[in-house]
Amino acid sequence: IAKMNKDAQMRATINQKLIETGERERLKELLRAKLIECGWKDQLKAHCKDVIKEKGLEHVTVDDLVAEITPKGRALVPDSVKKELLQRIRTFLAQHASL
């Protein structure tokens, strides 16, 4: 349990530093651009339409749709995008090693 608390504390500290420096917002913008560029957004939109068509508009809530598309959305993120973001985070952490 102490390890989990320490990990959670570290994540919170890193997240706070990302927010304070504006890096979190830059990473979000980079992610948005990369996901649009690789067609992820269009693929997910098409999947949403398929789910709605399959279940019927009157039978689908926003929560249902989110639950249905979230796993596919995560799976569709290209490894190259994940690696680029991870590298950017690692670089940020190296520059702010005092955390």
Side-chain angles (χ1 to χ4, degrees), residues 4-99:
M4 282 177 29
N5 286 341
K6 191 163 177 67
D7 288 349
Q9 229 175 358
M10 181 59 79
R11 276 195 300 278
T13 301
I14 291 168
N15 195 43
Q16 187 62 37
K17 191 58 106 173
L18 286 167
I19 292 167
E20 286 171 6
T21 61
E23 185 64 14
R24 185 167 190 252
E25 211 47 50
R26 286 189 289 279
L27 289 171
K28 283 170 61 175
E29 284 305 314
L30 173 69
L31 179 59
R32 268 188 209 103
K34 292 288 181 185
L35 291 177
I36 290 168
E37 184 182 296
C38 74
W40 177 90
K41 187 177 173 185
D42 294 331
Q43 287 177 297
L44 215 54
K45 188 190 282 187
H47 183 57
C48 285
K49 288 179 180 180
D50 291 344
V51 169
I52 291 169
K53 231 183 268 181
E54 180 187 311
K55 295 185 180 215
L57 182 59
E58 61 282 351
H59 300 293
V60 178
T61 66
V62 172
D63 290 340
D64 292 338
L65 197 54
V66 168
E68 183 85 26
I69 67 167
T70 296
K72 182 159 184 123
R74 287 188 177 136
L76 287 173
V77 176
D79 284 345
S80 61
V81 173
K82 292 176 189 175
K83 285 178 185 169
E84 184 174 350
L85 273 170
L86 187 57
Q87 188 53 50
R88 290 278 298 261
I89 293 168
R90 284 183 175 140
T91 300
F92 174 85
L93 290 175
Q95 291 168 348
H96 297 84
S98 61
L99 292 175

